[in-house]
Amino acid sequence: MTAHRSPGAPYYYISHALTVPSDPWLRAFHTDLQSEIYRRLGPDPGYTGLLSQLHPGPWGADGWDCTPVMRCRTLLVLLTERYYREPRALGDLAVFRRRLLWEQHQTGERSTALVPVLWNTEGLPPRREPDTLNVPVGDYTAAGLSRLVGAPHARGGYLKVLRAVVERILTGARHSPPAMTPEDLYFTVSPGVSGMPRIPLTAGSFPDRQFAPVQVRLLPTHAAPPSHRAETRWAAAPRRSWFSTPGNHDRPILRGPHS
């Protein structure tokens, strides 16, 4: 694991499974979120966030060992019914949860750097994420944040939810989990590790790594039959005790009391 702060790491990373990444409401929310963070912390590049871009293909097909979720300070999850069926979204969530476990193991405290937000409640499973943002705004909890973005009649409720999201991001960034390296991911991505994605460990999973063949000697699984060969001169030589005197042209042999 690396240090808590990684150079060039996004201050926050928005993970979603929306079918249209150029959704105007998603872009508007990201713009408002970034502007509010800049207003509170200043226009420093270190406080810049990142919006995930969906690509075709399975999770990890184009360099999953470089995903921003491995080094972002906080992870903002936009929950939808599709999110739980998108391998890339679930993969990012699993990796970030591994980082949270590392933080808890090191400090004994549970980090709040994971911020799930209800984006669209239609079709969501009954069980939601335990850290889902809970703001007493009727339209948000009933339909999701996407219905409030850009709605003139719900401007007050939208700002209330937006500021609550920013507050959670700021709090989580102060206690962000350790950043991951590709080497960390190689040792943790395993079907036998609970909560981690089941990624096939193919040759492409280990770039710039070559393994030489190793010759292994076959050992018997049962006791070998007794040998009838005559003992060698060394084995047939009389045993010397700890105090034995060496013979002619013999070097003294030091043996323990149980030899």
Side-chain angles (χ1 to χ4, degrees):
M1 291 176 291
T2 61
H4 276 59
R5 296 193 179 190
S6 177
Y11 191 72
Y12 64 88
Y13 181 63
I14 300 180
S15 175
H16 65 86
L18 302 181
T19 55
V20 184
S22 59
D23 185 342
W25 304 135
L26 175 62
R27 297 291 178 179
F29 169 67
H30 184 209
T31 300
D32 294 341
L33 181 65
Q34 187 66 80
S35 299
E36 181 66 16
I37 291 178
Y38 282 160
R39 186 184 70 83
R40 297 197 186 189
L41 302 180
D44 190 293
Y47 302 133
T48 302
L50 188 63
L51 180 64
S52 65
Q53 300 290 336
L54 293 183
H55 302 282
W59 188 77
D62 55 351
W64 48 265
D65 54 350
C66 297
T67 173
V69 80
M70 295 170 59
R71 61 186 187 275
C72 63
R73 301 282 298 278
T74 56
L75 179 64
L76 177 61
V77 175
L78 302 184
L79 292 175
T80 58
E81 184 269 340
R82 180 184 170 88
Y83 192 90
Y84 294 95
R85 295 186 289 105
E86 177 60 50
R88 289 178 175 271
L90 293 178
D92 277 346
L93 184 59
V95 169
F96 196 80
R97 280 175 171 164
R98 174 62 58 182
R99 293 177 56 194
L100 295 179
L101 289 178
W102 286 351
E103 173 69 11
Q104 187 172 3
H105 177 72
Q106 287 184 352
T107 65
E109 298 180 359
R110 186 168 174 270
S111 175
T112 58
L114 175 62
V115 187
V117 174
L118 297 173
W119 183 255
N120 189 339
T121 60
E122 184 178 357
L124 273 178
R127 180 184 177 277
R128 296 172 181 171
E129 298 294 328
D131 295 326
T132 303
L133 183 72
N134 187 13
V135 181
V137 177
D139 294 338
Y140 164 70
T141 57
L145 184 58
S146 62
R147 302 296 178 89
L148 302 182
V149 183
H153 67 280
R155 182 64 179 175
Y158 170 67
L159 292 178
K160 189 172 184 178
V161 177
L162 177 68
R163 289 163 184 164
V165 173
V166 170
E167 195 63 38
R168 285 281 299 272
I169 290 178
L170 299 182
T171 302
R174 289 194 293 267
H175 304 282
S176 60
M180 257 188 178
T181 65
E183 287 73 18
D184 294 327
L185 198 58
Y186 294 144
F187 285 103
T188 56
V189 175
S190 170
V193 179
S194 176
M196 292 300 294
R198 294 176 177 268
I199 302 176
L201 299 180
T202 60
S205 301
F206 297 90
D208 302 328
R209 284 170 170 79
Q210 295 181 357
F211 301 92
V214 179
Q215 186 174 5
V216 181
R217 184 168 58 92
L218 181 62
L219 298 178
T221 57
H222 57 278
S227 175
H228 298 287
R229 293 182 303 173
E231 291 187 339
T232 61
R233 179 179 178 275
W234 180 265
R239 298 280 181 175
R240 291 193 178 105
S241 68
W242 182 268
F243 303 100
S244 63
T245 303
N248 296 333
H249 307 294
D250 288 337
R251 299 178 61 185
I253 300 177
L254 299 181
R255 298 181 179 275
H258 303 290
S259 297

